[in-house]
């Protein structure tokens, strides 16, 4: 591997890469509505057992009804599971270029799929300014999310570089000289890079920056445009790599797995007081704002790209005007796919002829897979799917305290206002007591006393966690109907076997970015 390749793409131990090389199950994700092994799964019969012991010298048959003993995880066991993937990073007060508007971030993941299909990434841009943070939700396997989590930030960083820096990088590569790294990654040890594919990834990235050099307009790079171009270009490269293939049999199979699986992405670029969020799919970004009275409010920084977004339905129907009756069925694209925007998923982008040609000429593992050979119904005018992101800009204010990026596993279980309140109270250590609401439930005085005791205990529970994302996952999985963490419920949910866990919840990946209000305020005063 060349020196530039080593500098741009961190490596992993060979044994770690095996975790992403297991065979893909294409049908176990809610994003895809195809025949699933879950559909034939039957819950066991009544777990109570009736036993009869007959003594021949007795005329009476004795029957015992036994109830299985309940086994719950202890609090230390629960904490061990919740904290297994947590990661925290504190930004140095002076990052070498300017005082950062980010204090740091906390991240965590809780799997439901085995292996987990979510990914996360965070990196500081070294040759430009700002920090990139993102969450990626895979479906039909983890391959696409893995590839996008490794590669997208490089495409964005390159897009933001000035012309002279691009020329310096290209000249260094051409002459075999060492070059400075583009990104500084902030990763948990489990967040790995694929060593085997790094050379191919580098070559595709280099082709991209060479084209940026050739297309030089002399104008300052616009962040929104850079984000959009990067998303689209990476998705195009994923498609092209799968069509061209690779002489290496492992890589050939890998690029096809990446292309035939899919991933949504929600990425934030923070540079001083300038916040851009680029979203493709149904992960979300949410800004936590502290009002003057100390209360918390939520500002939406992304929109879901699915059937619950009326503008998305209008968009896909306008792009396929002769298919308005078939393009969205049962709230899914072509009756199959939940997100209306995603990376990969070439089954919704390639022509039928191209799909058949690639599958037939591909490795046996691909040709024998029923999902890859399946053509979506009413498939007439592809592509039906795009990776183009929707970009939202926000100028940070001193009262903007944090940003939450999370995959839909969180948003399926919690309302955005509750999410912001829980994180805000955790970060400030101040718990604002609201009138106790029971939501129409009939509650006895004894139950009400219990709820008040739980509320009192909630403040102390904040100190169990040293990571805001972990604290949020604890609530997402363990909250009862009254909004309090129920240890029994949390223990049950974390004790579910792999084949059952996905029936109750999705993978959850969360990034909580904390802002430096003093730096943001100084920017505001300077501008005034």
């Amino acid at each position: 591997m060349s020196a530039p390749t080593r500098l741009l793409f961190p490596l992993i131990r060979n044994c770690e890469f095996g975790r992403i090389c297991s065979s893909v199950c294409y049908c176990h994700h809610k994003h895809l509505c195809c025949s699933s092994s879950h559909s034939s799964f039957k819950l066991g019969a009544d777990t109570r057992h009736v036993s009869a012991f007959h003594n021949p010298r007795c005329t009476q048959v004795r029957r015992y009804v036994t109830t299985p003993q309940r086994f719950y995880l202890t609090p230390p066991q629960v904490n061990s599971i919740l904290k297994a993937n947590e990661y925290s990073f504190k930004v140095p007060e002076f990052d070498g270029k300017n005082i950062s508007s980010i204090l740091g971030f906390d991240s965590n993941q809780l799997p439901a799929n085995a292996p987990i299909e979510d990914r996360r990434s965070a990196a500081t841009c070294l040759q430009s300014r700002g920090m990139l943070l993102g969450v990626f939700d895979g479906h039909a396997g983890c391959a696409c999310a893995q590839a996008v989590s490794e590669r997208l930030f490089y495409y964005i960083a390159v897009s933001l570089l000035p012309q002279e820096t691009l020329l310096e990088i290209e000249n260094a590569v051409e002459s075999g000289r060492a070059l400075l790294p583009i990104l500084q990654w902030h990763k948990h040890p489990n967040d790995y890079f694929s060593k085997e594919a790094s050379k191919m990834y580098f070559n595709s990235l280099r082709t991209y920056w060479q084209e940026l050099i050739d297309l030089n307009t002399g104008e300052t790079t616009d962040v929104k445009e850079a984000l959009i171009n990067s998303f689209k270009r990476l998705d195009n490269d994923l498609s092209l790599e799968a069509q061209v293939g690779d002489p290496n049999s492992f890589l050939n199979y890998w690029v096809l797995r990446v292309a035939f699986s899919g991933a949504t992405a929600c990425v934030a670029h923070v540079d001083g007081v300038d916040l851009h969020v680029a979203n493709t799919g149904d992960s979300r970004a949410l800004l936590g704002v502290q009002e003057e009275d100390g209360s918390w409010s939520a500002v939406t920084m992304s929109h879901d790209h699915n059937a619950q977004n009326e503008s998305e339905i209008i968009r896909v129907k306008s792009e396929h005007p002769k298919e308005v009756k078939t393009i969205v069925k049962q709230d899914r694209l072509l009756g199959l796919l939940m997100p209306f925007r995603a990376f990969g998923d070439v089954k919704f982008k390639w022509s039928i002829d191209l799909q058949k040609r690639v599958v037939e000429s591909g490795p046996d593992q691909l040709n024998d897979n029923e999902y890859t050979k399946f053509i979506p119904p009413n498939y007439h005018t592809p592509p039906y799917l795009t990776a183009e992101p929707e970009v939202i800009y926000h100028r940070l204010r001193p009262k903007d305290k944090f940003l939450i990026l999370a995959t839909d596993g969180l948003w399926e279980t919690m309302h955005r206002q509750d999410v912001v309140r829980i994180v805000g109270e955790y970060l400030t250590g101040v718990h604002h007591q609201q009138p106790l609401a029971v939501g129409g439930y009939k509650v006895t005085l004894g139950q009400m006393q219990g709820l008040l005791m739980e509320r009192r205990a909630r403040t102390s529970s904040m100190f169990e966690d040293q990571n805001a994302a972990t604290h949020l996952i604890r609530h997402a999985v363990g909250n009862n109907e009254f909004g309090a963490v129920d240890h029994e419920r949390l223990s049950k949910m974390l004790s579910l076997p792999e084949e059952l866990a996905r029936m109750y919840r999705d993978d959850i990946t969360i990034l909580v970015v904390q802002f430096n209000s003093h730096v943001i305020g100084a920017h505001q005063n300077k501008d005034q």
Side-chain angles (χ1 to χ4, degrees):
M1 189 185 311
S2 65
T5 306
R6 290 197 302 272
L7 287 164
L8 284 169
F9 292 92
L11 307 182
I12 62 162
R13 295 182 295 275
N14 286 332
C15 60
E16 292 177 320
F17 191 65
R19 284 178 288 175
I20 61 174
C21 299
S22 57
S23 60
V24 179
C25 176
Y26 286 98
C27 306
H28 287 186
H29 198 283
K30 61 167 177 50
H31 277 151
L32 287 165
C33 183
C34 52
S35 81
S36 168
S37 61
H38 287 168
S39 62
S40 60
F41 183 83
K42 302 292 184 184
L43 287 175
D46 192 335
T47 54
R48 293 171 297 174
H49 302 284
V50 179
S51 303
F53 300 91
H54 183 256
N55 187 333
R57 289 179 291 181
C58 300
T59 57
Q60 180 182 8
V61 176
R62 301 180 66 185
R63 298 180 182 274
Y64 299 89
V65 178
T66 61
T67 302
Q69 184 178 355
R70 293 182 177 179
F71 294 98
Y72 296 125
L73 299 171
T74 64
Q77 289 172 324
V78 166
N79 286 340
S80 178
I81 294 171
L82 290 179
K83 297 180 180 184
N85 297 310
E86 70 177 11
Y87 178 80
S88 295
F89 175 76
K90 302 302 179 187
V91 176
E93 186 175 349
F94 184 75
D95 67 2
K97 286 183 168 52
N98 58 336
I99 298 176
S100 177
S101 58
I102 295 179
L103 288 172
F105 69 86
D106 293 335
S107 72
N108 202 350
Q109 294 184 299
L110 183 67
N113 292 288
I116 185 171
E117 294 180 341
D118 281 6
R119 294 293 186 271
R120 58 183 165 177
S121 291
T124 301
C125 299
L126 297 177
Q127 303 303 316
S128 56
R129 299 189 311 175
M131 181 176 283
L132 288 163
L133 309 106
V135 294
F136 311 91
D137 188 351
H139 49 266
C142 62
C144 188
Q146 174 64 34
V148 174
S149 70
E150 292 183 46
R151 305 176 66 180
L152 180 59
F153 286 9
Y154 282 114
Y155 281 69
I156 296 171
V158 164
S159 299
L160 291 170
L161 292 178
Q163 182 75 1
E164 54 270 22
T165 306
L166 290 174
L167 287 169
E168 288 177 12
I169 293 174
E170 175 59 23
N171 291 335
V173 174
E174 187 67 30
S175 60
R177 290 184 287 107
L179 63 150
L180 294 174
I182 294 174
L183 296 172
Q184 177 189 357
W185 291 95
H186 312 297
K187 283 186 171 288
H188 186 278
N190 291 343
D191 301 336
Y192 48 89
F193 276 88
S194 46
K195 176 182 177 181
E196 288 82 350
S198 60
K199 184 177 180 181
M200 178 185 65
Y201 291 172
F202 176 81
N203 290 336
S204 294
L205 180 67
R206 184 184 180 188
T207 301
Y208 179 47
W209 81 51
Q210 287 173 337
E211 292 180 13
L212 291 175
I213 292 172
D214 293 339
L215 295 172
N216 176 38
T217 60
E219 298 178 1
T220 305
T221 305
D222 176 74
V223 176
K224 179 178 180 179
E225 183 181 358
L227 289 167
I228 293 173
N229 291 341
S230 300
F231 274 61
K232 292 168 66 177
R233 177 54 182 251
L234 175 57
D235 190 54
N236 183 72
D237 283 353
L238 299 180
S239 174
L240 187 61
E241 289 161 1
Q243 294 175 50
V244 173
D246 193 279
N248 180 301
S249 59
F250 171 81
L251 278 182
N252 192 44
Y253 183 42
W254 172 247
V255 296
L256 290 167
R257 283 183 54 198
V258 169
F260 277 92
S261 58
T264 65
C266 188
V267 172
H269 178 265
V270 185
D271 181 9
V273 294
D274 297 319
L275 168 63
H276 289 84
V277 174
N279 183 56
T280 289
D282 51 10
S283 294
R284 294 181 188 171
L286 199 62
L287 197 62
V289 180
Q290 189 170 33
E291 305 297 345
E292 291 184 2
D293 62 357
S295 63
W296 295 94
S297 61
V299 175
T300 300
M301 288 296 299
S302 66
H303 302 298
D304 292 353
H305 299 133
N306 55 27
Q308 278 63 56
N309 184 340
E310 186 63 30
S311 64
E312 278 296 284
I313 294 180
I314 294 172
R315 179 185 64 81
V316 296
K317 287 184 175 180
S318 67
E319 292 174 356
H320 305 271
K322 296 182 179 179
E323 302 168 70
V324 292
K325 294 182 179 180
T326 58
I327 194 165
V328 178
K329 282 193 170 184
Q330 298 177 326
D331 288 344
R332 294 172 184 260
L333 190 66
L334 296 179
L336 295 173
L337 192 66
M338 286 187 69
F340 286 9
R341 304 191 194 194
F343 286 90
D345 284 322
V346 293
K347 293 198 69 60
F348 298 86
K349 297 173 181 176
W350 288 356
S351 69
I352 293 176
D353 288 342
L354 179 57
Q355 290 187 44
K356 289 180 177 179
R357 187 163 67 251
V358 170
V359 170
E360 289 171 1
S361 63
D364 293 339
Q365 302 101 306
L366 190 76
N367 203 26
D368 294 341
N369 189 294
E370 292 300 320
Y371 171 73
T372 57
K373 292 191 291 186
F374 171 75
I375 301 298
N378 303 302
Y379 197 82
H380 305 300
T381 57
Y384 291 92
L385 192 66
T386 179
E388 180 173 342
E390 184 177 7
V391 180
I392 294 179
Y393 169 77
H394 178 81
R395 184 174 176 83
L396 293 171
R397 307 157 297 179
K399 65 178 183 178
D400 299 328
K401 301 301 182 182
F402 56 86
L403 176 72
I404 300 170
L405 303 172
T407 55
D408 61 348
L410 173 68
W411 312 112
E412 289 171 353
T413 61
M414 298 188 72
H415 188 273
R416 62 176 190 162
Q417 188 59 47
D418 293 329
V419 168
V420 165
R421 176 184 55 79
I422 288 169
V423 173
E425 291 173 354
Y426 169 83
L427 292 176
T428 60
V430 178
H431 187 80
H432 289 270
Q433 302 286 13
Q434 301 294 329
L436 189 63
V438 295
Y441 291 93
K442 294 182 178 179
V443 181
T444 65
L445 287 175
Q447 290 171 324
M448 181 65 75
Q449 183 183 15
L451 291 171
L452 290 170
M453 294 296 290
E454 284 182 2
R455 167 185 272 186
R456 179 179 295 176
R458 210 180 304 171
T459 304
S460 61
S461 75
M462 289 191 292
F463 300 104
E464 294 179 15
D465 302 314
Q466 286 75 49
N467 182 294
T470 303
H471 189 67
L472 196 48
I473 290 176
R474 187 185 300 275
H475 278 268
V477 178
N479 268 12
N480 60 20
E481 61 269 32
F482 304 114
V485 175
D486 182 333
H487 176 74
E488 183 176 319
R489 173 183 171 83
L490 184 59
S491 176
K492 285 180 180 178
M493 292 296 287
L494 295 178
S495 303
L496 290 172
E498 290 177 356
E499 65 270 16
L500 281 179
R502 186 59 190 86
M503 301 176 68
Y504 287 88
R505 61 176 178 83
D506 195 0
D507 298 329
I508 300 175
T509 297
I510 300 172
L511 262 162
V512 179
V513 187
Q514 191 173 1
F515 295 122
N516 189 329
S517 298
H518 298 294
V519 172
I520 293 171
H523 273 279
Q524 192 176 62
N525 294 334
K526 181 180 178 182
D527 293 341
Q528 290 175 350

